[in-house]
Amino acid sequence: MLDMPTIREDLKTVYDLAPNPALAASMQAEYARMARVVSPADWAIHAPYVAAINALKKERNATILAHNYMTPEIFHGIADVVGDSLQLAIEATRTEADVIVQCGVHFMAETSKILNPSKIVLMPDMEAGCSLADSITAKGVAQMRAKYPSAPVVSYVNTTAEVKAASDICCTSSNAVQIIRALDAETIIMTPDQYLAQNVAAQVPEKRIVWWEGSCIVHEQYTAQDIRDFRDWNPDTRIIAHPECPPEVVAEADYSGSTSGILDYVSRERPARAMLVTECSMASNISDAHPEVEFIGPCNMCPFMKKITLEKVLWSLHTMTTQIEVAPEVADKAQLAVQRMIDLSAVSA
Ligand code: 13P
Ligand code: SF4
């Protein structure tokens, strides 16, 4: 566990990190992107960190890849690339930076390292895990293979490098249907998200999909009754659910897609009111670009994503820790599964 009081003291000896309204006022371009969701007082607290991180990024020739669930000050203040898991993986293959700082969870940093073995990949907090990645090991994949011997294994990118290495191909929530349709097999094993698998199965009825029983602690909390009640109380609201939600929740929604799919849907449809059935930062991060949309309704926080803070990103870049390492024999096999996914998504897009 990171010793935050000590880290805080150490950082203060090098950087001026006191709240700074004058500095904040001079950084209006950055602030404008988050002004609807970050108060001026909070911006005065964040601005010194944002300024220090952006300067250090240049010094280290680093790039920051940030997931759509990062807090607005990370998403809008310091990220070079933002996106869903697929976009971040693709961008990791394109970057010319020497250092990648992953603002997301551990499996995302591992994926970046697998795709860029020669680069330094930094994870600001190694405890930023994922309930899906924790739900299965390579042994679990082997058990599924023993049960369904001729079925290929499609593993969600929300898995460890070992699980990816034991799989035939990866998928994300934005390309899972594409990947399953493209595979020449009647029965397909999907790991580890039972709900993503069931949601895909509903869209690809010609295939038999069998699944591992993992779930996302954020999305599994929603129920179909929640959605029906919400619709009764807010009849004109567009309900948009991530496919990690249970299928009966997705069935009640107007649209289901990956985090980038959600953003594309909102940009295309511009509903007057929307409820995003997903992690809380999603609505915060897109609300400044869409002032015409009122985002309402409950949301669930991912405790793992929220482990990443400006303070930890600054510490990570300052000390160049923690560097992600993946054993070469695992990385080589995992890279095949991830690259197959990227290639297949590009072909059938
Ligand atoms: P996306 O690929 O849709 O961004 O999903 C990643 C994730 O962890 C959602 O919980
Ligand atoms: Fe994992 Fe769910 Fe958090 Fe995404 S939201 S990182 S799937 S626990």
Side-chain angles (χ1 to χ4, degrees):
M1 208 197 339
L2 291 170
D3 175 2
M4 289 317 293
T6 307
I7 287 176
R8 218 158 273 148
E9 284 313 306
D10 286 356
L11 283 175
K12 276 185 199 156
T13 63
V14 186
Y15 304 95
D16 183 0
L17 297 171
N20 189 334
L23 177 68
S26 73
M27 295 168 68
Q28 282 307 305
E30 289 89 338
Y31 183 52
R33 298 194 289 263
M34 61 187 110
R36 272 182 101 197
V37 289
V38 174
S39 71
D42 281 335
W43 177 235
I45 295 171
H46 296 318
Y49 288 90
V50 170
I53 292 166
N54 286 337
L56 200 49
K57 238 172 31 178
K58 287 202 185 105
E59 236 177 78
R60 304 269 199 252
N61 189 23
T63 188
I64 294 187
L65 307 186
H67 186 259
N68 290 326
Y69 292 163
M70 289 292 100
T71 52
E73 64 276 12
I74 290 178
F75 187 89
H76 292 298
I78 59 168
D80 296 290
V81 174
V82 293
D84 68 3
S85 321
L86 179 64
Q87 290 168 325
L88 297 183
I90 292 172
E91 288 304 326
T93 65
R94 295 183 178 153
T95 183
E96 289 183 357
D98 297 319
V99 179
I100 295 172
V101 185
Q102 200 82 35
C103 288
V105 291
H106 186 264
F107 76 79
M108 296 176 178
E110 256 190 1
T111 304
S112 292
K113 183 67 184 178
I114 288 164
L115 293 168
N116 284 288
S118 64
K119 290 192 196 286
I120 293 173
V121 177
L122 298 176
M123 188 63 205
D125 187 337
M126 293 293 272
E127 289 184 5
C130 169
S131 64
L132 280 168
D134 287 346
S135 72
I136 187 165
T137 60
K139 216 166 152 188
V141 175
Q143 283 166 12
M144 292 298 277
R145 282 197 195 276
K147 220 163 148 191
Y148 305 99
S150 56
V153 176
V154 181
S155 284
Y156 200 23
V157 284
N158 299 38
T159 45
T160 60
E162 286 78 10
V163 168
K164 288 183 176 77
S167 307
D168 296 293
I169 186 166
C170 288
C171 74
T172 73
S173 55
S174 69
N175 60 20
V177 169
Q178 248 180 297
I179 303 276
I180 296 297
R181 281 202 181 119
L183 289 180
D184 184 18
E186 261 172 41
T187 301
I188 297 169
I189 299 166
M190 283 188 79
T191 82
D193 188 347
Q194 58 186 308
Y195 297 133
L196 178 69
Q198 289 164 32
N199 287 321
V200 170
Q203 291 183 65
V204 194
E206 66 277 19
K207 310 243 179 200
R208 176 180 176 226
I209 296 176
V210 293
W211 53 79
W212 186 257
E213 302 225 327
S215 55
C216 161
I217 52 164
V218 173
H219 293 93
E220 71 179 354
Q221 292 180 44
Y222 294 102
T223 68
Q225 192 59 48
D226 291 339
I227 309 299
R228 282 193 292 271
D229 289 345
F230 188 84
R231 211 188 271 290
D232 284 347
W233 301 326
N234 305 277
D236 299 326
T237 303
R238 215 68 75 85
I239 299 180
I240 306 166
H242 193 278
E244 287 170 13
C245 293
E248 58 278 12
V249 170
V250 168
E252 296 289 338
D254 297 298
Y255 169 80
S256 174
S258 75
T259 55
S260 293
I262 292 173
L263 170 58
D264 292 346
Y265 179 86
V266 170
S267 307
R268 202 170 54 238
E269 297 279 319
R270 298 172 180 271
R273 305 174 89 201
M275 175 198 179
L276 307 190
V277 188
T278 189
E279 214 274 343
C280 299
S281 288
M282 190 68 217
S284 311
N285 287 336
I286 63 180
S287 70
D288 276 273
H290 293 287
E292 73 285 8
V293 183
E294 186 190 357
F295 293 96
I296 53 170
C299 61
N300 291 329
M301 200 84 96
C302 173
F304 303 113
M305 290 278 182
K306 267 36 213 197
K307 287 210 171 274
I308 308 301
T309 61
L310 287 176
E311 210 169 32
K312 291 177 188 171
V313 175
L314 179 57
W315 179 249
S316 177
L317 261 175
H318 176 69
T319 55
M320 296 295 281
T321 59
T322 298
Q323 300 190 13
I324 297 289
E325 297 297 345
V326 182
E329 62 282 10
V330 174
D332 288 351
K333 286 190 193 147
Q335 200 262 349
L336 281 177
V338 178
Q339 196 59 50
R340 272 187 204 125
M341 167 190 79
I342 292 175
D343 295 346
L344 202 56
S345 312
V347 169
S348 46

